[in-house]
């Protein structure tokens, strides 16, 4: 009997036939890893496989990243040389004379049997995003920018004979606001805009830390909520740095 092989990744019918790999989560992973290394954090030995992570992401993706992360389609298609030996796929032998309806019914029965026998399949990949939740990319970028602003201010403080403890949250807030303002001007309001949480009090326009109201709660321009937001960004960013150092993202 002549048969053709079809590969099938367990999924729902509503998903599109193919799901292109979104590089942005891996870009964020890469950027957090770079910052963990710059801090001198001890990172997993497994990252040796990533090669030189001091270069730009796009260059690194071409040389390493694109070969490391598994791309699994969200639908059924003919098997290829790559998918025929990939543990993320099942290979079905389907007689060519079967009708589409019979093929669908038979495939569904077989998939149900395989799930009952083997349980829900998980992607077999060494490097993959954690399964608890897809990363909120805009939030990740905010955390990165907050960490960068804090790191730059810390470096300046050390140069001035001070320490990291001398860096004030209002200074980080001012630096973050300035970053978003300059970015909006450069890219003509395209891309991520200043988070609303950084605009409390004075609308996010003040970038001089000495002029941002932080203690007078009777002043309508008090920026307490924005200060709290910056503190939260740094806490969450540092948590992600620790996870990334261990080889986990997010």
């Amino acid at each position: 009997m002549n048969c053709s092989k079809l590969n099938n990744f367990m999924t729902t019918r509503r998903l599109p036939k193919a799901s292109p790999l979104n590089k942005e989560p891996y870009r964020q992973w890469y950027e957090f890893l770079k910052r963990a290394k710059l801090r001198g954090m001890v990172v997993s030995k497994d990252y040796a496989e990533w090669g030189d992570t001091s270069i730009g992401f796009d260059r690194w993706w071409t040389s390493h990243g694109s070969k490391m992360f598994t791309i699994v389609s969200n639908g059924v298609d003919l098997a290829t040389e790559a998918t025929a030996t990939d543990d993320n796929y099942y290979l079905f032998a389907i007689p060519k004379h079967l009708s589409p309806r019979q093929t669908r019914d038979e495939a569904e029965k077989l998939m149900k049997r395989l799930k009952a026998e083997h349980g829900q399949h998980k992607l077999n990949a060494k490097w993959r995003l954690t399964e608890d939740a897809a990363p909120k990319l805009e939030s990740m970028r905010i955390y990165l920018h907050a960490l960068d602003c804090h790191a730059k201010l810390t470096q300046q403080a050390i140069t001035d004979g001070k320490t990291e403890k001398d860096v004030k949250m209002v200074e980080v807030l001012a630096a973050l606001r300035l970053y978003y303002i300059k970015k909006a001007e450069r890219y003509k309001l395209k891309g991520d805009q200043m988070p609303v949480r950084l605009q409390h009090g004075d609308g996010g326009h003040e970038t001089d830390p000495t002029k941002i109201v932080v203690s007078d709660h009777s002043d309508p321009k008090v920026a307490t909520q924005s200060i709290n937001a910056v503190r939260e960004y740094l806490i969450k960013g540092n948590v992600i740095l620790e996870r990334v150092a261990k080889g986990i993202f997010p």
Side-chain angles (χ1 to χ4, degrees), residues 8-245:
N8 182 38
F9 175 64
M10 289 189 294
T11 184
T12 62
R13 296 177 185 171
R14 294 183 180 180
L15 291 173
K17 183 176 182 180
S19 177
L21 182 65
N22 179 4
K23 293 192 297 183
E24 191 59 22
Y26 303 102
R27 183 189 301 276
Q28 300 304 321
W29 190 343
Y30 183 79
E31 294 299 336
F32 272 101
L33 176 61
K34 289 179 69 173
R35 285 154 180 79
K37 288 184 174 181
L38 286 173
R39 282 194 177 191
M41 297 175 69
V42 177
V43 302
S44 170
K45 294 180 180 179
D46 290 336
Y47 279 121
E49 182 182 349
W50 287 43
D52 182 6
T53 55
S54 65
I55 60 178
F57 173 78
D58 290 332
R59 181 181 168 191
W60 173 83
W61 182 262
T62 300
S63 63
H64 287 78
S66 60
K67 303 175 181 65
M68 292 166 48
F69 296 101
T70 301
I71 304 176
V72 179
S73 66
N74 277 334
V76 176
D77 204 344
L78 292 173
T80 64
E81 184 177 348
T83 57
T85 57
D86 190 332
D87 289 340
N88 292 303
Y89 294 85
Y90 284 120
L91 292 181
F92 289 176
I94 301 178
K96 292 182 177 180
H97 71 274
L98 294 186
S99 67
R101 174 174 292 184
Q102 186 177 358
T103 299
R104 180 194 64 198
D105 293 342
E106 293 292 334
E108 184 175 358
K109 291 178 183 178
L110 181 55
M111 287 300 295
K112 287 182 178 179
R113 193 188 82 193
L114 290 170
K115 284 187 178 183
E117 293 176 356
H118 304 147
Q120 183 63 42
H121 181 74
K122 295 183 178 181
L123 289 182
N124 179 19
K126 179 178 180 180
W127 298 107
R128 55 191 173 91
L129 303 174
T130 54
E131 299 173 354
D132 53 349
K136 296 181 179 179
L137 302 181
E138 185 174 352
S139 295
M140 295 292 162
R141 288 191 287 270
I142 294 172
Y143 304 156
L144 278 174
H145 300 326
L147 290 171
D148 287 347
C149 288
H150 186 268
K152 186 175 181 179
L153 289 167
T154 298
Q155 185 59 50
Q156 184 59 52
I158 293 174
T159 300
D160 295 339
K162 301 178 182 179
T163 68
E164 180 180 352
K165 293 182 179 180
D166 293 307
V167 177
K168 300 178 180 179
M169 287 298 104
V170 67
E171 295 174 328
V172 183
L173 170 60
L176 258 178
R177 284 178 169 180
L178 184 59
Y179 166 82
Y180 279 106
I181 290 173
K182 288 186 175 181
K183 182 178 180 180
E185 293 174 349
R186 180 179 180 182
Y187 295 102
K188 299 180 180 179
L189 299 178
K190 294 181 180 179
D192 296 342
Q193 302 300 307
M194 183 187 297
V196 174
R197 296 185 67 188
L198 297 182
Q199 301 177 38
H200 285 289
D202 55 23
H205 304 295
E206 186 56 71
T207 59
D208 183 342
T210 65
K211 295 181 179 180
I212 297 177
V213 181
V214 296
S215 57
D216 185 359
H217 294 281
S218 64
D219 192 321
K221 291 186 177 182
V222 67
T224 304
Q225 293 185 55
S226 292
I227 295 293
N228 291 338
V230 170
R231 187 175 289 108
E232 179 183 315
Y233 296 158
L234 291 174
I235 291 174
K236 290 185 175 181
N238 281 311
V239 169
I240 295 173
L241 281 177
E242 293 176 359
R243 288 172 59 82
V244 165

